[in-house]
Amino acid sequence: FAGYISQVLKNYTDHACDGEYVSLRCPHRTTISIQSSFYGRIVPSHQLCPSRYPHSYATLIKEDVACSVGTSLQKMLDECQDRRSCQFLVNSRLFGTDPCPATGKYLLVWYKCRPNEYKSKVACEDDKLRLSCKKSMVIAIYSAVFGRTQGGSLECPYQNIGMPMIECQSATALQLMIKRCHGKRSCSIYASTYEFGDPCYPGIQKHLNVIYTCDNTPLLLPVDETQPPAPSSSSSMEPVGVGTEMALLSNILAAYAFIT
């Protein structure tokens, strides 16, 4: 179960040079959720995706390092969004008009693995939030936000007359919800500043929004059952995790983007 959860919460990064395959995949019962994408070149070829052909110095200095294609994100959404896995050959023809035909380009993509079936619960400030699953199933927290989001909440309308709509979020909400509820059949917590601290200015009403799933596969293996081979200079990067603090920050941001 811990292995499965680590795969779901992890942020993934993958890349492929022109002429290479990009391959994205997620664990069982989750699908790809594209966060961001870039196709073009913003660094010299000796730093990333070197040319397959020898170049003279005169040719290299003409390389365009301010080249990007605006259709990259939409293409990744079309090819991979909401799928368990996807793979395709990277080349400029996929993205429409080529703004720098003489320059070798590369694709960078950032994504998460979203549960196929998930539930969302909201509790207004000082109310109790209760999560529960059926017998033999346990809670898997996907995201948690405590504070006030720009879009607000239908369940907890903004009532601070005369105060501006300010976005503020607790940096510990996801970590606390994981500690309190992960792997349990049921749990409860108050949506209060006592539990989460106060990330907002005094007087701003807050709410707790939790997205979770109920899973009955505690022994589910992560994506790779064996240790992946070390990536070569010409292969796509394997999905990698980040440090605990950066992962927490990244997941908070991703949770807000997902909820919005």
Side-chain angles (χ1 to χ4, degrees), residues 128-230:
K128 180 182 285 189
L129 179 75
R130 296 181 176 87
L131 306 181
S132 62
C133 293
K134 297 179 181 178
K135 188 176 181 180
S136 78
M137 303 186 80
V138 293
I139 298 168
I141 302 294
Y142 181 71
S143 68
V145 174
F146 177 75
R148 172 61 57 176
T149 57
Q150 191 66 37
S153 169
L154 295 177
E155 295 87 348
C156 309
Y158 192 70
Q159 298 176 350
N160 297 83
I161 305 301
M163 294 191 67
M165 172 62 78
I166 298 175
E167 181 180 324
C168 45
Q169 298 180 24
S170 168
T172 60
L174 178 62
Q175 186 179 27
L176 180 59
M177 289 303 303
I178 289 174
K179 182 179 179 181
R180 189 70 63 88
C181 298
H182 252 326
K184 297 181 179 179
R185 184 182 170 190
S186 64
C187 66
S188 62
I189 189 170
Y190 279 97
S192 67
T193 56
Y194 176 80
E195 295 281 6
F196 296 94
D198 195 344
C200 306
Y201 288 106
I204 294 180
Q205 293 175 316
K206 296 163 284 290
H207 62 267
L208 174 64
N209 191 333
V210 177
I211 296 175
Y212 70 103
T213 64
C214 291
D215 204 290
N216 59 357
T217 53
L219 300 178
L220 193 62
L221 291 173
V223 175
D224 296 317
E225 299 184 18
T226 57
Q227 186 69 22

Side-chain angles (χ1 to χ4, degrees), residues 20-79:
E20 296 178 349
Y21 282 93
V22 64
S23 180
L24 313 184
R25 54 181 176 158
C26 282
H28 181 55
R29 293 187 180 179
T30 68
T31 54
I32 296 167
S33 177
I34 300 295
Q35 305 296 302
S36 184
S37 178
F38 170 85
Y39 178 72
R41 179 169 291 280
I42 54 174
V43 296
S45 58
H46 69 270
Q47 294 183 13
L48 181 63
C49 293
S51 173
R52 298 181 179 183
Y53 306 99
H55 285 75
S56 65
Y57 178 76
T59 303
L60 286 176
I61 62 175
K62 296 178 182 178
E63 186 176 54
D64 190 345
V65 292
C67 174
S68 63
V69 177
T71 58
S72 172
L73 177 59
Q74 187 58 53
K75 180 61 178 177
M76 291 305 305
L77 291 172
D78 292 343
E79 294 288 338

